Amino acid sequence: MVDVLERPGQVEEHGHEEHHGPTGLLKWLTSTDHKVIGLSYTITSVIMLVIGGAFAEIVRAQLTSPNGHVVSLAQYNELFTMHGSVMIYLFAGPFAFGALANFIVPIQIGAPDMAFPRLNALSYWLYLTGSITMLSGFFVAGGAANFGWVAYAPLSNSANTPGAGADLWIGALLLTGFSAIFTGVNLCATIFYLRAPGMTMFRMPIFTWNLLITAILILLAFPVLTAGLIMLYCDRHFGTHIYSVVGGGVPVLWQHIFWFWGHPEVYILAIPFFGMVTEIIAVFSRRPVFGYKGMIFATISIGALSLGVWAHHMFTTGVVLLPFFSIMSLLIAVPTGIKFFNWIGTMWRGQVWFSTAMLMALGFLATFLIGGLTGIYLASPPLDFFTHDTYFVVAHFHSVVMALVLAGFGGLYYWGPKITGYMLNEPLGKIQFWFLFIGTQVLTLPQYLLGLDGMPRRVAIYPNSPQWKTLNVWSSVGAVMIGVSTIIFVVNLVYSWKRYPAGDNPWDGQTLEWFTTSPPPHHNFYRLPQIRSERPTWDYNHPEHRSLAHGHHEEPVHEEVPVA
Amino acid sequence: MRVEAKLLLGLGLFFGLMCAVYWNWSLENAGGVMMFAGMLLGFLPGGYYYWWSRRMKPRPEDDPNATQSGGAGVVGAFPGTSIWPFTMGMGAFLCILGAVFGIWLLLPGLSLVVWALFGGTAEGRRGGPH
Amino acid sequence: MEKPTLPPQGVTTPSHRRRRVWGVVALPLAALALAGCTVPSFGAKAGPTETSRSTYHLWQGFSIGAAIVGALVIVLILWAVVRYRRRSDEIPPQSQYHLPMEWTYTIVPILIVFGLFAATIVVENQVVANPKTDVTINVNAFQWGWKFTYPGTDAFVVGQTTQNPTMVMPVDTNVHINLTSTDVIHGFYVRAFNFSRYALPGIKNQFTFHAVATGTFDGQCTQICGLYHSLMFFRIQVVTPAKYQSWLASFTDAAAARAAAKATGQQTSSVVPSKSTSSHGAQ
């Protein structure tokens, strides 16, 4: 049926018709509503988080003893490959730009839906089928892909890795790659064309700005991966010699193409979570975002620079221009630092209250600080030479991604009431937080020491040194704590099911999504406030406390807000 | 559309500069080509938005003093519920499985994709099943 | 309250003199104090080669910077959440910008980054340099072991997985390594040398070690290369030049013995002598 998307006038009661349509399974298969699609993405990606986490627990079980017999050497290679692949391709990316983004971005800018609703639905189906494709590798002869989530040539060619598992991995990434590209198109078009009146670009919430930058990065990076994967498939099946020495190919070309996508990818993952953290810290400090424009320019800088640093993953190949990639990688620390100081500035002189969402955001700050600082070492080639492919790098990126996981749970606790209409239990949430936060440090801190002491990554067994065994045991304890925190979250979901109805604005939120009902109605808004800043809901609820443009004087900006 | 145009043009310019420095310094072609393509991706839509922003009527969402009643009314007519995204998704899935398990799967796969293309386009023009 | 009067220019008061003495003494005191306490290792080790030691000092420098920045940020976060925790429902001041502060924490990190980059370049140029050398070793990585050949000599060491082939090299000498792979990408990693480099098929990677201490050091493959990646061990044994020469000579003697035996028509065992010496290195 045709939907005529309408935008209501200012603070008018819009005579809303009851929305009739299919229900149940048929509704799920045919819906193009961004709220339904966003919820589908959220549920699917959290299931992928649990699956990837289960693989991690098996890996850590194997590494608890030097000569573990939990799995065979061959199974171990499949497990860490699929752990990384599921977590990055099937959980973190889709959660970052498909789940909360799909749900929240249109509402934050006052749009009735995404610009291309059917393309949005297609993105989800490509994601779901891509996930099934990748995981079905476990059920074919030869098992799932086993060459690491990066699939370096020549290890990933048909001679070294025969079998359908690798091809299913490639096919899955083609499906999820197009899913991401279509989402990138949708986000750009929605943000450029469907903003509400008065919502100028520099009045958009930081979360939406971050998703815009993410969308542009997706469009720049994902096609490169797609092309590289197609070439890998051709090498494997059509007798081409693109990545093989025999026949005049260049194995290192795979790394250039993969990492040209791969480094922007980690920022595609991180930048949406940065946006979640920004929103949460502002609301739970009862302050505006500090340095709003600086935040935006910092995020644009991170995105732009991220396209020029890919070969810092290739320092040890000996064939890349070390100084160029070193200075570019070191420079990314600057805008990241600006964001950190702006987050602190948002809390400064605020009234900080420690809801679960805020605790998760603070946990993100502490954990990302460690991960970010260790990343600076890796930007220096001499220092990278002896830490590359050791547990130091494993610890660095697990600090960073666990920080993103903390931020993601913060987003779920913060926006959960808006999406479902019900709050999650706060005490259970705080218990989950402590297990997750402490578990993350217990997981990663021993791994830094292991890497500096010489333990390589992607090994199933290691020399029998008491010190290495102790550190590995501690790291595995951390993994178990993280697993426990996930179970607590599931318990919270079940316990809180339809138990605590949320109002429109349980947190005194500032941005436009908090102006509408929880959950929002069909086409999102019955009424819209006047938009004169990046905090339209705050301005409407607290007109005498609008932001001060300059840090010094206390008088409010003199502006009449027309009465509704 | 000014801000959008400047954002994309600025990115294109940055990638162009980065490409010039990198390609001349490293003489490495893969990175050079990819950065050059990134520059084009900034300039192409950015240039279009810039050209269009100078010719278009001002939009309520670019007006800092806009009122909601100014932008009220129909935003557009979009197909609501639709079976075509699911159909196309299943078709793509079968095509990929065909690449892995046997080319015969391309037959149902491509059929579904083409059917969805036609069905979806018709739905967009006609307004879909009533 | 009356404003304190400043002494006329050029006249030193007792307090001025005290401050000057402290100023003159403070700097050497600080230097002595710093020399007395060692800079922490921050988890890394100096190692036995010239470049491992420069890399180690670079690591320490980066770590000091990271510790200072990290401590500053942690203190700021903790201060914010403790000092500004919610005490009432009163809405706090809604200030949003402080341009001087924002410019400061933009410019200062850029300067720090340039400092880190400069230090990096100095060490990097040393690590990747390939000065003239008298000793060359060809390293060939394969699934799943290592082969070391010494061009111009008969020395030849090969071993798979736990056979742990040992590369012998002389101390106080520039040793040039040519590294390649015959199949997939492997990682030539020696933790003690603070170094690793990929062995790439079709490409010859070249680097130079200059050991300044003897000893035996473990190495391992760090780049996933298939089923036995976890077991691709090797060792580097740094010995005195005399021992190195005698080790090389043992290969020449063995080769000569084989040639002599062949010449007299005797059947000899086809075991390559290097295999048995690979696990034990130079005697």
Side-chain angles (χ1 to χ4, degrees):
Chain A
M1 52 168 274
V2 177
D3 274 350
V4 175
L5 298 190
E6 291 192 39
R7 189 173 275 133
Q10 181 163 322
V11 201
E12 291 163 15
E13 279 306 316
H14 179 81
H16 51 275
E17 327 80 45
E18 282 304 311
H19 176 69
H20 298 290
T23 52
L25 179 66
L26 195 60
K27 171 185 170 189
W28 186 55
L29 293 180
T30 61
S31 176
T32 62
D33 184 338
H34 72 104
K35 298 188 287 296
V36 173
I37 295 170
L39 190 56
S40 301
Y41 260 102
T42 309
I43 295 172
T44 309
S45 58
V46 170
I47 292 174
M48 291 301 141
L49 171 67
V50 172
I51 293 176
F55 296 159
E57 303 292 347
I58 304 174
V59 164
R60 286 301 335 159
Q62 166 75 8
L63 290 174
T64 310
S65 43
N67 208 344
H69 294 291
V70 175
V71 290
S72 69
L73 291 182
Q75 288 169 323
Y76 187 82
N77 286 358
E78 287 175 46
L79 275 171
F80 69 69
T81 300
M82 294 302 281
H83 163 69
S85 300
V86 167
M87 285 304 202
I88 295 175
Y89 301 114
L90 304 184
F91 157 65
F95 187 93
F97 53 75
L100 289 176
N102 244 320
F103 202 102
I104 297 294
V105 165
I107 310 179
Q108 275 198 338
I109 59 174
D113 204 311
M114 290 281 242
F116 303 118
R118 291 182 302 172
L119 189 67
N120 204 9
L122 176 63
S123 283
Y124 174 71
W125 295 116
L126 291 175
Y127 162 51
L128 182 66
T129 54
S131 307
I132 295 170
T133 306
M134 186 179 288
L135 290 169
S136 59
F138 282 111
F139 302 108
V140 298
N146 58 7
F147 35 53
W149 78 280
V150 296
Y152 278 6
L155 182 64
S156 52
N157 67 19
S158 46
N160 288 302
T161 314
D167 294 312
L168 285 168
W169 185 90
I170 294 173
L173 294 190
L174 292 175
L175 289 168
T176 54
F178 276 106
S179 168
I181 291 170
F182 295 152
T183 299
V185 167
N186 235 330
L187 282 168
C188 281
T190 307
I191 293 171
F192 287 161
Y193 285 102
L194 287 182
R195 304 192 306 276
M199 173 77 70
T200 61
M201 286 290 284
F202 283 108
R203 287 182 186 164
M204 295 198 303
I206 293 287
F207 181 70
T208 297
W209 257 110
N210 283 18
L211 261 303
L212 173 63
I213 294 161
T214 304
I216 297 174
L217 283 179
I218 289 174
L219 295 177
L220 283 160
F222 269 85
V224 172
L225 176 71
T226 308
L229 287 167
I230 293 175
M231 291 196 281
L232 179 62
Y233 182 84
C234 289
D235 263 19
R236 286 175 63 85
H237 293 287
F238 297 146
T240 56
H241 296 287
I242 300 169
Y243 302 125
S244 63
V245 179
V246 169
V250 182
V252 156
L253 178 63
W254 166 261
Q255 291 183 48
H256 277 294
I257 294 178
F258 181 86
W259 285 117
F260 190 87
W261 163 85
H263 196 83
E265 160 73 355
V266 309
Y267 288 102
I268 289 167
L269 301 184
I271 290 175
F273 292 101
F274 290 168
M276 292 179 213
V277 165
T278 306
E279 307 270 337
I280 292 170
I281 292 183
V283 167
F284 293 98
S285 308
R286 311 204 75 201
R287 292 211 351 105
V289 174
F290 184 83
Y292 170 84
K293 275 203 171 156
M295 275 295 218
I296 293 171
F297 289 124
T299 311
I300 294 175
S301 306
I302 292 175
L305 284 168
S306 76
L307 269 119
V309 301
W310 76 90
H312 68 222
H313 301 271
M314 299 164 63
F315 279 157
T316 55
T317 59
V319 297
V320 299
L321 184 60
L322 299 177
F324 177 85
F325 291 106
S326 176
I327 185 64
M328 299 294 279
S329 306
L330 287 168
L331 279 173
I332 290 197
V334 174
T336 315
I338 293 173
K339 292 181 80 76
F340 255 88
F341 290 120
N342 283 346
W343 284 320
I344 295 172
T346 305
M347 294 189 282
W348 209 260
R349 301 212 288 163
Q351 293 267 19
V352 178
W353 51 294
F354 300 104
S355 62
T356 305
M358 185 59 172
L359 284 174
M360 295 285 186
L362 291 171
F364 160 86
L365 285 182
T367 313
F368 200 86
L369 178 65
I370 299 172
L373 286 175
T374 52
I376 294 183
Y377 290 96
L378 299 169
S380 171
L383 301 182
D384 182 74
F385 288 162
F386 76 95
T387 49
H388 178 70
D389 272 346
T390 69
Y391 260 84
F392 186 85
V393 170
V394 175
H396 156 75
F397 64 69
H398 279 95
S399 289
V400 171
V401 297
M402 289 309 300
L404 301 185
V405 170
L406 281 156
F409 278 115
L412 287 177
Y413 277 89
Y414 174 57
W415 275 312
K418 177 56 57 182
I419 294 172
T420 62
Y422 294 95
M423 315 283 287
L424 282 165
N425 180 281
E426 280 286 304
L428 273 177
K430 291 177 187 176
I431 299 174
Q432 176 202 353
F433 163 73
W434 286 112
F435 270 95
L436 182 57
F437 178 67
I438 297 178
T440 295
Q441 313 317 323
V442 174
L443 172 81
T444 53
L445 296 176
Q447 290 182 353
Y448 287 112
L449 299 174
L450 279 168
L452 288 175
D453 207 40
M455 181 169 173
R457 62 185 291 196
R458 300 182 172 135
V459 292
I461 54 184
Y462 51 89
N464 197 345
S465 128
Q467 194 203 7
W468 283 22
K469 181 176 155 86
T470 309
L471 290 171
N472 268 297
V473 167
W474 272 110
S475 188
S476 299
V477 166
V480 170
M481 291 179 72
I482 295 172
V484 167
S485 79
T486 313
I487 294 173
I488 296 175
F489 178 70
V490 174
V491 167
N492 198 348
L493 283 176
V494 171
Y495 178 79
S496 308
W497 183 258
K498 296 201 160 119
R499 188 182 290 261
Y500 311 107
D504 293 356
N505 196 354
W507 310 120
D508 196 15
Q510 305 172 359
T511 42
L512 200 52
E513 75 270 27
W514 299 107
F515 195 81
T516 187
T517 58
S518 304
H522 188 57
H523 295 164
N524 298 336
F525 289 94
Y526 294 132
R527 48 194 205 123
L528 277 170
Q530 187 187 65
I531 298 171
R532 288 289 177 267
S533 78
E534 77 272 12
R535 309 195 291 166
T537 306
W538 177 272
D539 291 349
Y540 184 85
N541 288 328
H542 304 285
E544 67 287 356
H545 290 284
R546 276 159 289 152
S547 342
L548 305 172
H550 305 286
H552 303 299
H553 34 271
E554 294 287 326
E555 322 101 55
V557 176
H558 293 297
E559 201 183 289
E560 285 303 314
V561 178
V563 173
Chain B
M1 286 265 33
R2 276 271 154 82
V3 177
E4 295 91 321
K6 284 197 203 146
L7 174 66
L8 287 166
L9 287 174
L11 282 177
L13 188 64
F14 180 77
F15 295 143
L17 285 170
M18 216 167 42
C19 174
V21 169
Y22 175 74
W23 212 343
N24 276 299
W25 189 2
S26 71
L27 305 174
E28 192 275 307
N29 290 331
V33 168
M34 291 188 284
M35 281 205 216
F36 186 81
M39 175 187 77
L40 292 180
L41 192 136
F43 283 158
L44 194 63
Y48 171 74
Y49 286 149
Y50 184 70
W51 173 84
W52 183 235
S53 71
R54 311 183 82 194
R55 300 161 64 97
M56 61 192 274
K57 291 196 304 285
R59 306 179 299 171
E61 56 262 45
D62 293 328
D63 175 11
N65 297 313
T67 57
Q68 292 306 336
S69 40
V74 175
V75 172
F78 300 81
T81 55
S82 169
I83 192 63
W84 300 119
F86 177 73
T87 311
M88 189 176 288
M90 292 306 117
F93 181 37
L94 289 174
C95 287
I96 290 293
L97 292 181
V100 179
F101 291 119
I103 208 153
W104 59 273
L105 279 163
L106 277 178
L107 187 61
L110 281 175
S111 312
L112 285 176
V113 169
V114 170
W115 187 26
L117 275 172
F118 279 103
T121 312
E123 182 185 59
R125 289 163 67 93
R126 241 187 291 114
H130 286 279
Chain C
M1 190 182 95
E2 194 177 274
K3 264 206 201 154
T5 49
L6 297 168
Q9 292 269 20
V11 173
T12 51
T13 63
S15 67
H16 271 129
R17 281 196 287 273
R18 267 198 298 273
R19 261 179 274 156
R20 269 217 225 126
V21 168
W22 268 116
V24 166
V25 165
L27 203 52
L29 262 186
L32 273 174
L34 281 173
C37 57
T38 47
V39 181
S41 71
F42 296 104
K45 292 201 167 66
T49 70
E50 285 184 342
T51 49
S52 75
R53 290 176 182 186
S54 333
T55 304
Y56 172 65
H57 292 310
L58 186 66
W59 173 268
Q60 290 177 304
F62 266 65
S63 299
I64 292 172
I68 294 173
V69 169
L72 171 71
V73 175
I74 285 282
V75 162
L76 285 172
I77 294 174
L78 288 174
W79 179 261
V81 302
V82 170
R83 168 72 181 82
Y84 299 112
R85 67 187 184 281
R86 177 165 83 168
R87 296 166 209 274
S88 74
D89 277 334
E90 191 193 315
I91 292 179
Q94 301 285 296
S95 53
Q96 207 179 8
Y97 293 98
H98 191 296
L99 284 179
M101 179 82 75
E102 293 178 63
W103 278 115
T104 306
Y105 58 66
T106 307
I107 301 292
V108 169
I110 293 180
L111 296 174
I112 296 176
V113 157
F114 282 129
L116 294 175
F117 181 62
T120 292
I121 290 297
V122 168
V123 174
E124 180 182 303
N125 287 339
Q126 192 193 0
V127 172
V128 304
N130 277 306
K132 214 161 116 52
T133 57
D134 294 317
V135 178
T136 302
I137 307 177
N138 293 337
V139 178
N140 203 312
F142 57 92
Q143 282 171 321
W144 286 278
W146 304 90
K147 184 169 92 173
F148 309 122
T149 48
Y150 292 70
T153 75
D154 295 307
F156 173 94
V157 179
V158 69
Q160 285 188 0
T161 63
T162 46
Q163 287 174 335
N164 225 328
T166 303
M167 180 199 303
V168 178
M169 68 168 72
V171 74
D172 294 323
T173 319
N174 287 334
V175 176
H176 182 97
I177 311 278
N178 293 317
L179 175 67
T180 189
S181 162
T182 44
D183 39 53
V184 299
I185 300 179
H186 299 272
F188 177 89
Y189 167 69
V190 185
R191 201 227 80 206
F193 287 16
N194 288 334
F195 185 81
S196 77
R197 184 63 57 92
Y198 278 172
L200 299 166
I203 290 182
K204 183 168 76 169
N205 269 334
Q206 306 182 50
F207 46 91
T208 305
F209 293 137
H210 185 106
V212 295
T214 57
T216 305
F217 310 99
D218 291 323
Q220 193 174 351
C221 172
T222 45
Q223 177 60 26
I224 177 74
C225 53
L227 190 57
Y228 293 106
H229 163 67
S230 316
L231 296 169
M232 250 178 90
F233 300 109
F234 66 94
R235 284 203 193 105
I236 296 188
Q237 189 181 16
V238 180
V239 297
T240 61
K243 266 214 187 122
Y244 174 70
Q245 291 302 330
S246 68
W247 180 78
L248 283 181
S250 70
F251 287 93
T252 318
D253 296 342
R258 276 203 310 281
K262 229 182 188 170
T264 61
Q266 279 176 345
Q267 199 75 331
T268 55
S269 117
S270 58
V271 172
V272 178
S274 59
K275 255 208 181 129
S276 59
T277 57
S278 71
S279 313
H280 310 292
Q283 302 308 319

